[in-house]
Amino acid sequence: MVNLRNLEYKELEGLICYIGEPKFRAKQIFSWIYKGVVSFDEMNNVPKTLREKLDKVAYIGRIEPVAVQKSETDDTRKYLFQLEDGNQIESVFMKYKYGNSICVSSQAGCRMGCRFCASTRNGLERNLMPGEILSQLMEAERDTGEKIGHIVVMGTGEPFDNYDNLSKFLRIVNDKQGLNLGMRNITVSTCGVVPVIEKFVKDFPRVNLAISLHGTTNEIRGNMMPVNKSYPLEVLIPACRKYTEETGRRITFEYTLVNGVNDSNKDADRLCSLLKNMLCHVNLIPLNKVEETGFDTVSRDKALLFQQILEQRGIPATVRRELGSDIDAACGQLRLNNAK
Ligand code: SAH
């Protein structure tokens, strides 16, 4: 059985032709799927005979919300979804002035091993299929009754460790016949897998790119993020510069502030030198404390001071607004706590 949420438009056309039906039906069916219908019976301009044929070979694969946490202080909602095989993933729905946004997971678990992160503590379970990434948006729209116009791929998992499925997901959400969500409204965040960054720039030049930096020397960064051993700063930073030059787009650096590890004035100075003259923006994130990692967070004042140093040196920086802090919206923590 084929999960239709995994198929790009052309692939759906192929399936429709394969079962002996005219191509134009694919357009109707594709459009229904992304209007949010979950059974073929709801597709009222599709003949019954075709719906019955479809039922034999395909389905619309949903993921099931097993827990929803709603913030009391803002409209943030955090979902724990169960996949068909029992794996669980999480997503966060957020409301901003410019519209609704969803933070989606790209893998069940993660194998990158960043030492401060909850998502990687039990390793990688498996890659998510394109439809499973997409369903996080579809199910959140269904639950909230709201349209979602922005996606950040910043939940559990390393998107560039699941590149084929990520690419397919991007093409499906962007398809004019379906959700028609603009590439410019999507941000993908990576811990810095350089060869895939280079490929991504060519494949998706209009999608926003965010890099998890977190350290300004190979020693500091390498201690926090094992990926730095394969792709150290002298390889990562030129790749980032190249992205901005080739696309003309601003790149975002995420910098999680960890007490006594990467939060000194010296760190701020080095960060400025590293990013000098690059079209970029720094997003400072006070660490969300994860038990057992031994890392501690910084005060908001400390974060603001760090921001000031960057701004003074001409590097645009913001301290991440804390949405849903009362519901533990920190990365991977709901899933991890549920697995205990
Ligand atoms: N694997 C991708 C995307 C997922 S993580 C990446 O590394 O970019 C999204 C962001 O949250 C990353 O910048 C990550 O380093 C950061 N992060 C992970 N755990 C965190 C924590 N406990 N506190 C603050 N930020 C965290």
Side-chain angles (χ1 to χ4, degrees), residues 137-201:
L137 178 147
M138 303 290 295
E139 298 299 334
E141 281 194 344
R142 206 178 165 84
D143 178 62
T144 57
E146 304 223 15
K147 273 312 258 182
I148 295 174
H150 297 260
I151 302 175
V152 291
V153 187
M154 279 190 195
T156 297
E158 168 49 45
F160 288 177
D161 190 34
N162 183 19
Y163 191 69
D164 289 346
N165 290 338
L166 173 83
S167 309
K168 226 171 170 188
F169 155 75
L170 293 173
R171 287 192 294 265
I172 297 171
V173 290
N174 183 239
D175 197 309
K176 287 201 173 42
Q177 331 244 26
L179 289 171
N180 192 20
L181 204 137
M183 292 291 192
R184 287 188 169 81
N185 293 357
I186 306 173
T187 301
V188 176
S189 175
T190 175
C191 64
V193 188
V194 172
V196 189
I197 293 175
E198 286 165 348
K199 191 163 166 31
F200 182 76
V201 180

Side-chain angles (χ1 to χ4, degrees), residues 28-229:
Q28 295 175 322
I29 295 165
F30 196 81
S31 136
W32 277 116
I33 297 171
Y34 296 105
K35 275 190 193 125
V37 310
V38 291
S39 92
F40 299 136
D41 289 339
E42 294 172 72
M43 303 179 171
N44 60 26
N45 58 355
V46 176
K48 190 147 187 274
T49 47
L50 170 50
R51 282 187 262 143
E52 282 168 359
K53 263 197 217 170
L54 265 182
D55 253 334
K56 295 207 172 69
V57 293
Y59 67 106
I60 299 172
R62 299 185 62 187
I63 58 177
E64 181 146 352
V66 288
V68 186
Q69 293 184 339
K70 294 181 191 172
S71 168
E72 299 284 328
T73 51
D74 52 57
D75 292 312
T76 302
R77 288 190 197 191
K78 181 154 190 170
Y79 296 93
L80 186 69
F81 289 113
Q82 180 136 329
L83 308 177
E84 282 172 36
D85 66 355
N87 263 305
Q88 294 187 337
I89 54 166
E90 52 187 276
S91 327
V92 185
F93 168 87
M94 291 159 289
K95 270 191 128 127
Y96 289 98
K97 278 192 216 85
Y98 58 75
N100 297 326
S101 172
I102 183 128
C103 173
V104 297
S105 293
S106 56
Q107 296 179 311
C110 182
R111 61 183 184 134
M112 305 318 285
C114 298
R115 284 180 50 214
F116 50 88
C117 178
S119 299
T120 196
R121 294 196 71 78
N122 295 335
L124 176 67
E125 289 289 340
R126 68 169 174 85
N127 285 330
L128 297 189
M129 296 296 286
E132 291 171 326
I133 308 177
L134 208 118
S135 286
Q136 299 169 57
L137 178 147
M138 303 290 295
E139 298 299 334
E141 281 194 344
R142 206 178 165 84
D143 178 62
T144 57
E146 304 223 15
K147 273 312 258 182
I148 295 174
H150 297 260
I151 302 175
V152 291
V153 187
M154 279 190 195
T156 297
E158 168 49 45
F160 288 177
D161 190 34
N162 183 19
Y163 191 69
D164 289 346
N165 290 338
L166 173 83
S167 309
K168 226 171 170 188
F169 155 75
L170 293 173
R171 287 192 294 265
I172 297 171
V173 290
N174 183 239
D175 197 309
K176 287 201 173 42
Q177 331 244 26
L179 289 171
N180 192 20
L181 204 137
M183 292 291 192
R184 287 188 169 81
N185 293 357
I186 306 173
T187 301
V188 176
S189 175
T190 175
C191 64
V193 188
V194 172
V196 189
I197 293 175
E198 286 165 348
K199 191 163 166 31
F200 182 76
V201 180
K202 295 204 169 60
D203 295 345
F204 300 100
R206 286 175 299 131
V207 175
N208 304 300
L209 181 62
I211 307 285
S212 298
L213 193 58
H214 310 328
T216 53
T217 66
N218 281 330
E219 198 193 343
I220 299 172
R221 190 168 189 266
N223 280 334
M224 298 169 78
M225 306 175 70
V227 67
N228 194 73
K229 306 232 155 63

